[in-house]
Amino acid sequence: MRAGLYSMTIEQRKLADATVFPIGLGGMPMSLSGRPPEERSIRTIQAAVDAGVNLIDTADAYSADDRDTGHNEELIARALEGRRDGVIIATKGGHVRTRDGGWEVDGSPQHLREACEASLKRLRTDRIDLYQYHRPDPDVPYAESIGALKELQDEGKIRWIGISNADTGQIEETRSIVEIVAVQNELSLDFTSPLGKGEVAACEEHGMAFLPWGPLGGASDATEAAGRHRPVKDAAAAHGVSPQRVALAWLLALSPAIVPIPGARRVETITDSIAAAELVLEPDEIAAISQAAGVG
């Protein structure tokens, strides 16, 4: 595994039979409308890898619209040319963009197969490390969508399978069909539902990674003197770090299964996020932040 700035001193976390740095990188902000210049995005990805990050999350739908499908996958492939060794790329299928930049779902087995084949080409690989069903399609039985991923895995096109935006019932249904190694759901100061509804606990119980998307939600509110997340601001001041770094350190303290994947558009942002892996919050700080976030 690639050794980075932090990777030799920070305790790693588990993803299937691999170890990963506690903080991953989410690629979405680099490819939506209003995205940063490509060169800056490539520097951001490379800075993350150089610092020890070895999990990068993307999706075919991370693009400006349907004419731009796969933009983020292609960007990541270019950034990692000659640097791919030891880096796990997680991508997703089942979410699609519309011409006007909107979002729709397509969980049909035919679409998932076509999407996976296209992702393989864009990522310049013959096997995707982690392929995740992006979002349930209400018009397609969940088992059919997961069955399509199992077929692709049986064919050697997928190493590991994960699911995203899934509840505990869908987690259990998926586990009855195929082994899954990760669940990627929203989790942040402002959205703690996976803690109360058991999604994080299910990952702990079954040895799966929980990959929070949008993990910095609410962190910017902590800069306000009277904001709901005042304990985050207080902890940031006490440690001399940003509220965003505290928010990620808090997530890491909640469960050993959690591996946040914050998005980034510039080197400075991901560098600050990565440093959360070495920030140790005091028990009373964790308790105060959790109480403010509504976590019992």
Side-chain angles (χ1 to χ4, degrees):
M1 193 65 68
R2 177 185 295 273
L5 178 63
Y6 293 101
S7 61
M8 298 303 292
T9 58
I10 300 297
E11 185 175 353
Q12 306 289 286
R13 300 209 165 188
K14 296 292 292 184
L15 175 63
D17 58 358
T19 57
V20 294
F21 190 79
I23 302 290
L25 170 63
M28 185 173 72
M30 303 178 200
S31 292
L32 302 186
S33 58
R35 58 198 178 211
E38 181 175 303
E39 289 184 3
R40 193 172 88 191
S41 293
I42 288 177
R43 288 197 303 271
T44 300
I45 295 166
Q46 293 176 345
V49 173
D50 289 344
V53 169
N54 62 339
L55 173 62
I56 299 178
D57 181 76
T58 183
D60 59 355
Y62 292 168
S63 60
D65 55 40
D66 65 348
R67 293 163 293 191
D68 198 34
T69 296
H71 177 275
N72 197 245
E73 292 177 321
E74 293 176 342
L75 175 69
I76 289 169
R78 286 195 294 274
L80 294 182
E81 187 172 2
R83 297 167 174 252
R84 179 68 192 275
D85 183 40
V87 179
I88 295 168
I89 298 179
T91 193
K92 299 181 284 293
H95 222 359
V96 297
R97 303 307 304 272
T98 60
R99 183 54 51 94
D100 62 359
W103 300 79
E104 293 182 351
V105 291
D106 188 345
S108 66
Q110 179 180 353
H111 171 76
L112 290 171
R113 174 170 289 277
E114 292 172 352
C116 181
E117 296 281 3
S119 291
L120 283 164
K121 293 178 182 178
R122 288 190 290 261
L123 292 172
R124 306 175 189 177
T125 185
D126 56 5
R127 185 177 69 164
I128 292 171
D129 297 321
L130 172 60
Y131 196 77
Q132 303 156 101
Y133 182 34
H134 202 155
R135 187 176 289 274
D137 182 344
D139 295 327
V140 179
Y142 203 74
E144 289 187 13
S145 302
I146 300 303
L149 268 59
K150 183 179 186 302
E151 289 181 1
L152 290 162
Q153 186 181 52
D154 290 342
E155 294 169 14
K157 296 174 181 178
I158 297 172
R159 181 181 182 187
W160 299 314
I161 291 174
I163 53 178
S164 182
N165 301 299
D167 60 28
T168 53
Q170 290 161 337
I171 293 172
E172 290 308 310
E173 183 175 7
T174 303
R175 292 186 63 251
S176 72
I177 298 169
V178 67
E179 179 183 2
I180 56 172
V181 304
V183 175
Q184 182 180 150
N185 286 1
E186 183 179 7
L187 177 62
S188 68
L189 293 166
D190 273 352
F191 191 86
T192 60
S193 175
L195 297 168
K197 293 186 176 180
E199 295 147 25
V200 173
C203 287
E204 289 180 353
E205 178 182 357
H206 300 298
M208 302 181 296
F210 185 90
L211 312 177
W213 64 262
L216 294 175
S220 60
D221 295 340
T223 61
E224 301 175 9
R228 179 165 65 94
H229 299 303
R230 178 60 184 269
V232 175
K233 180 181 179 181
D234 292 342
H239 292 275
V241 301
S242 70
Q244 288 77 10
R245 195 181 304 186
V246 170
L248 292 174
W250 171 71
L251 286 176
L252 291 174
L254 294 178
S255 168
I258 289 177
V259 182
I261 47 173
R265 293 162 54 94
R266 59 181 68 247
V267 171
E268 295 82 3
T269 305
I270 191 56
T271 300
D272 186 68
S273 292
I274 290 168
E278 63 175 1
L279 175 59
V280 179
L281 299 174
E282 297 296 333
D284 61 331
E285 292 174 326
I286 295 169
I289 294 169
S290 295
Q291 183 177 14
V295 177

